[in-house]
Amino acid sequence: LAKTTQPISMDSYEGQEVNITCSHNNIATNDYITWYQQFPSQGPRFIIQGYKTKVTNEVASLFIPADRKSSTLSLPRVSLSDTAVYYCLVAFSNTGKLIFGQGTTLQVKP
Amino acid sequence: DVKVTQSSRYLVKRTGEKVFLECVQDMDHENMFWYRQDPGLGLRLIYFSYDVKMKEKGDIPEGYSVSREKKERFSLILESASTNQTSMYLCASSLTGAGTMSLGEQFFGPGTRLTVL
């Protein structure tokens, strides 16, 4: 059964690096992993996407180990404005399912 | 910037009513999606469409139908609203590309919070 699993919540302090891991079993070789950020009263917003090794953009990095059964979103030097809910999404090609994790609420403290 | 708009931010309906939720995107995207979002459950896919007049069931299609007569517009229909359909409804769109990549990079609307009394 295709499933994505994330921690429910995390706390951090300003300036720290935050790593949020998503577990996704039954992922196929070319299935992409996508991460979104959501603020209250808004729709999710795309952060980063990848399917192997490491991807980096101006806001985050995505690390995917060789077995691809998990992925880690890394947010460098978080600020208060990074307080949000973060979702991972996997499009499982073997089942045709789009599965979001249940979301990780990140609270950044001063 | 891609813009996805939804017809209402808040909607209150009564049990048994027929409800229409409208979504419009302005970037000529082929794919459009309807999700519902509930606390502790994340986003769950109701239906998606990869072309005009085409639709595919998602994980929770029961009690819902969809319509896509024009490329830019995707409607979600609750044939007979029930209290367990009280939720946040999110529409999204994406381009079509090779593999599953394009299904992942979606642009979301602001959501419609539907309350069924």
Side-chain angles (χ1 to χ4, degrees):
Chain A
L1 181 64
K3 192 176 180 183
T4 55
T5 306
Q6 309 174 230
I8 297 298
S9 63
M10 294 182 73
D11 287 343
S12 182
Y13 290 93
E14 282 190 291
Q16 288 187 332
E17 178 185 77
V18 170
N19 296 307
I20 306 173
T21 297
C22 178
S23 299
H24 27 75
N25 58 351
N26 295 322
I27 192 169
T29 304
N30 294 319
D31 289 346
Y32 275 77
I33 301 141
T34 312
W35 284 83
Y36 291 84
Q37 177 191 56
Q38 187 178 27
F39 297 112
S41 302
Q42 295 183 22
R45 183 174 68 99
F46 173 86
I47 301 174
I48 197 165
Q49 183 178 71
Y51 74 100
K52 65 178 181 180
T53 59
K54 177 184 174 182
V55 179
T56 297
N57 62 21
E58 63 275 9
V59 297
S61 295
L62 178 60
F63 298 94
I64 304 167
D67 67 5
R68 304 183 74 249
K69 292 185 178 180
S70 67
S71 59
T72 298
L73 173 71
S74 181
L75 304 172
R77 299 180 299 282
V78 294
S79 64
L80 295 176
S81 62
D82 292 316
T83 293
V85 181
Y86 293 83
Y87 291 95
C88 65
L89 165 66
V90 177
F92 291 93
S93 57
N94 53 4
T95 61
K97 299 281 190 184
L98 293 177
I99 306 292
F100 275 89
Q102 66 267 55
T104 299
T105 299
L106 172 65
Q107 180 69 51
V108 180
K109 302 175 182 176
Chain B
D1 264 1
V2 175
K3 193 166 184 184
V4 179
T5 57
Q6 296 184 228
S7 50
S8 305
R9 291 302 302 268
Y10 300 94
L11 207 53
V12 179
K13 295 292 182 181
R14 297 216 173 265
T15 301
E17 280 192 80
K18 190 169 185 176
V19 181
F20 293 87
L21 302 182
E22 305 285 341
C23 175
V24 178
Q25 51 94 4
D26 66 357
M27 285 300 290
D28 205 35
H29 284 173
E30 289 85 2
N31 302 321
M32 296 189 75
F33 309 83
W34 275 106
Y35 296 91
R36 63 177 285 176
Q37 184 174 33
D38 300 290
L41 297 177
L43 285 83
R44 292 178 292 166
L45 182 65
I46 305 171
Y47 269 97
F48 77 94
S49 169
Y50 53 90
D51 202 350
V52 175
K53 296 190 185 296
M54 306 303 289
K55 61 185 178 184
E56 293 286 341
K57 292 180 180 179
D59 296 319
I60 51 166
E62 295 79 18
Y64 304 94
S65 62
V66 291
S67 173
R68 193 166 180 201
E69 296 296 319
K70 294 184 178 182
K71 190 175 185 180
E72 68 271 18
R73 188 179 297 269
F74 192 35
S75 302
L76 180 70
I77 304 152
L78 287 65
E79 296 291 343
S80 177
S82 64
T83 54
N84 63 12
Q85 293 179 307
T86 291
S87 187
M88 171 67 81
Y89 289 88
L90 289 159
C91 175
S93 70
S94 72
L95 286 168
T96 290
T100 64
M101 184 173 183
S102 63
L103 292 179
E105 188 174 354
Q106 299 171 42
F107 297 84
F108 283 83
T112 295
R113 184 162 295 281
L114 173 67
T115 301
V116 183
L117 301 176

